[in-house]
Amino acid sequence: MPKALSAHTIAIIKASVPVIATHGPEIIKSMYDRLFLDDHIRALFNHSNQGEGGSQVNALATAILAYARNIDKLEPLLPLVERIAQKHIGYNILPEHYPFVAKALLDAIADVLREAATPELLNAWRDAYWFLADLLKEREADLRRRLEESPGGWTGWRQFYISDRIKESGVITSFILRPMDEKPVVRHQPGQYLTLRFELSTGIEVKRNYSISSAPNDETYRISVKREAAGSGGSRHLHDIAMIGDTIHLAPPAGDFFLEADQVRPVILLSAGVGLTPMVSMIETIDTDRPALEAHYVHAALNSATHAMDQHVRSIAKSHGNIAVSTFYSEPGTQDVVGRSHDYDGFINIDWLRNHTPFNDADFYLCGPKPFLRSLVDGLWEAGVEPCRIHFEFFGPSDELLAA
Ligand SMILES: Cc1cc2nc3c(=O)[nH]c(=O)nc-3n(C[C@H](O)[C@H](O)[C@H](O)COP(=O)(O)OP(=O)(O)OC[C@H]3O[C@@H](n4cnc5c(N)ncnc54)[C@H](O)[C@@H]3O)c2cc1C
Ligand code: HEM
């Protein structure tokens, strides 16, 4: 734990919350503009999440504001620190990068707040930044050490190749990733994601996170990617251009969303769309390693044309015997029939969960788009499910979700 902040610093930071709240996004935008003047820092980021109004800008502004508000009681921030540290591991953020953000942040505060940015306020923010940065650096060093010590573990980027690709639905294709050195790979925790670094055909290099959809094993990872028609083309590259044999760089598995190794209570896994990927990893793991664990997997898809890996999941459930699978289609196609292609029309809802799952006794794991998470996470809270029983993953920078 870094050295505690002085009472004086804490008082100044707390007093600055209203002004930082008003100018937060402006300060962070100005900070990024300064930071990205440096090419080697710019190259560390995932540029589809940046830019004016970008969700990464909001995520960082939200985190900094949450930090300032909680500066005298850091306990509620620890899950946020864990999430950020895991994300930083995926992007290979190192201790030597922190001074660049410190300078850009303090210069941005001075620039946006002008005369309100007194030397006292800037000193307090310098101390507060380094307190948080030291917490992150400590945790990141610990994560890197563990990765280095684990069989098959690595830090930074390692070269893999696509050893197979499998079409799972009209919109989702899986890729099997095998290391070029043919040495073992570190076993991920089911639910974690990889960061892929690859070049688009335009020559632009992109970084993208993909949850691992297979159970941990020593040889390969499987990712399952939805083709996004809009956007900068990372997923289109994988779908339309990437071939078996193509190389790709991977950062090691990271993320704080995973099935606990000592999970005893029943689990309720809830996903929508491509949010099924971490759930399939969990289900495969429950099948191989947790014969006694009771699991309920409830998935929402548009219809059978977009629904991936359904037969795979159902055959695992059958062989395990203690996994119940239910599917909801919100836009069933003409060929879709309740009882044959899927179990219910419409959306997953709290009443249904209450009536069909061990609602009061289970841990919930959720992954899907923002409206899905908002409705179900809020619904679970309102239904009295304790926050410690709710775990969720979101496929993007977690701006509003972090704020919640
Ligand atoms: C932890 C984590 C795990 C993930 N796991 C998976 C997974 O298992 N499978 C998977 O398929 N994806 C996953 N993702 C998402 C993945 O990382 C990519 O974001 C996704 O593949 C889209 O990348 P892209 O380059 O094709 O599109 P991006 O450029 O990233 O755009 C994504 C979406 O943003 C919107 N968008 C972006 N730019 C514009 C624009 N100019 N105009 C309008 N809309 C725009 C569009 O809706 C677009 O579809 C995960 C993300 C995270 C953070
Ligand atoms: C105290 C200092 C820092 C804080 C509070 C912070 C905060 C955050 C937050 C909130 C996220 C988003 C996490 C999520 O969506 O789950 C994030 C991601 C990230 N951070 Fe940091 N960060 C800090 C330092 C740094 C530094 C020094 C660098 C590199 C120069 C860096 C680079 C990144 C990158 C590349 C991502 C992923 C971006 C993406 O998904 O597009 N961060 N950080």
Side-chain angles (χ1 to χ4, degrees):
M1 201 41 118
K3 190 169 153 281
L5 291 169
S6 72
H8 183 60
T9 300
I10 289 176
I12 296 173
I13 296 289
K14 282 200 89 97
S16 73
V17 166
V19 72
I20 297 291
T22 310
H23 297 285
E26 207 185 332
I27 293 170
I28 300 298
K29 162 84 172 62
S30 162
M31 182 196 93
Y32 274 122
D33 288 347
R34 289 159 192 278
L35 203 56
F36 291 165
L37 292 175
D38 198 313
D39 284 343
H40 95 284
I41 296 291
R42 190 170 200 281
L44 294 168
F45 283 79
N46 165 7
H47 290 280
S48 76
N49 294 333
Q50 309 301 327
E52 205 157 349
S55 20
Q56 174 60 26
V57 175
N58 292 336
L60 190 50
T62 308
I64 287 187
L65 201 57
Y67 173 54
R69 285 204 171 107
N70 287 283
I71 194 110
D72 51 353
K73 44 175 177 3
L74 289 172
E75 201 66 23
L77 278 184
L78 293 180
L80 178 55
V81 168
E82 180 64 18
R83 184 172 166 108
I84 299 171
Q86 294 278 354
K87 185 65 80 165
H88 284 169
I89 291 293
Y91 282 78
N92 203 18
I93 304 306
L94 298 170
E96 58 264 34
H97 298 134
Y98 278 84
F100 289 89
V101 173
K103 179 163 174 26
L105 176 66
L106 291 166
D107 287 354
I109 293 177
D111 188 32
V112 173
L113 300 190
R114 298 192 175 272
E115 57 278 3
T118 59
E120 201 180 36
L121 182 103
L122 290 174
N123 280 336
W125 270 94
R126 177 174 298 109
D127 289 352
Y129 170 84
W130 279 109
F131 180 82
L132 182 56
D134 288 345
L135 271 181
L136 285 166
K137 285 193 296 175
E138 260 178 32
R139 180 64 186 138
E140 287 158 21
D142 184 38
L143 290 169
R144 271 193 294 272
R145 202 165 32 246
R146 282 177 200 213
L147 280 164
E148 274 158 5
E149 287 166 1
S150 305
W154 76 97
T155 57
W157 300 103
R158 180 170 170 190
Q159 217 179 12
F160 280 65
Y161 67 98
I162 300 172
S163 66
D164 202 0
R165 40 179 295 163
I166 304 129
K167 192 172 162 65
E168 308 280 10
S169 81
V171 289
I172 297 177
T173 294
S174 289
F175 299 84
I176 309 295
L177 306 173
R178 190 175 276 281
M180 287 296 276
D181 57 22
E182 300 287 350
K183 291 191 176 144
V185 300
V186 67
R187 287 178 168 245
H188 64 284
Q189 316 215 49
Q192 286 191 307
Y193 58 83
L194 295 164
T195 308
L196 276 68
R197 196 186 92 200
F198 54 96
E199 229 178 61
L200 304 179
S201 45
T202 52
I204 294 171
E205 189 183 82
V206 295
K207 292 177 190 144
R208 293 288 179 272
N209 297 136
Y210 291 102
S211 298
I212 302 165
S213 63
S214 51
N217 66 77
D218 298 319
E219 295 178 8
T220 58
Y221 301 111
R222 182 183 64 214
I223 57 165
S224 306
V225 179
K226 179 180 171 210
R227 188 181 187 282
E228 295 284 356
S232 50
S235 64
R236 289 199 301 285
H237 176 89
L238 292 171
H239 271 255
D240 305 345
I241 298 182
M243 314 248 286
I244 292 175
D246 281 4
T247 56
I248 247 163
H249 285 89
L250 294 193
D256 59 345
F257 174 78
F258 52 80
L259 184 69
E260 298 291 344
D262 56 357
Q263 180 73 41
V264 183
R265 274 199 294 247
V267 290
I268 301 173
L269 313 177
L270 305 175
S271 59
V274 74
L276 59 78
T277 50
M279 306 307 174
V280 177
S281 177
M282 291 185 196
I283 286 171
E284 288 189 5
T285 308
I286 293 170
D287 184 38
T288 50
D289 300 349
R290 322 270 173 94
L293 187 62
E294 176 183 345
H296 296 256
Y297 178 41
V298 192
H299 179 65
L302 288 179
N303 48 48
S304 58
T306 58
H307 187 178
M309 300 168 126
D310 186 36
Q311 288 316 314
H312 177 57
V313 164
R314 285 185 191 273
S315 75
I316 290 176
K318 205 166 161 198
S319 77
H320 183 272
N322 215 4
I323 303 176
V325 178
S326 308
T327 50
F328 285 69
Y329 286 178
S330 56
E331 292 176 22
T334 45
Q335 75 287 10
D336 295 333
V337 179
V338 170
R340 235 182 21 230
S341 52
H342 61 297
D343 301 301
Y344 302 92
D345 285 340
F347 297 100
I348 305 171
N349 61 74
I350 298 294
D351 281 343
W352 185 91
L353 290 169
R354 227 198 273 275
N355 294 327
H356 293 84
T357 64
F359 194 84
N360 294 320
D361 189 32
D363 285 332
F364 292 82
Y365 290 81
L366 301 93
C367 182
K370 269 187 199 170
F372 167 86
L373 286 177
R374 241 187 243 121
S375 122
L376 287 179
V377 172
D378 285 357
L380 291 173
W381 278 334
E382 282 158 19
V385 178
E386 304 83 347
C388 65
R389 289 202 286 134
I390 307 174
H391 313 264
F392 61 84
E393 179 67 287
F394 169 65
F395 285 175
S398 24
D399 40 12
E400 301 117 272
L401 295 168
L402 278 175

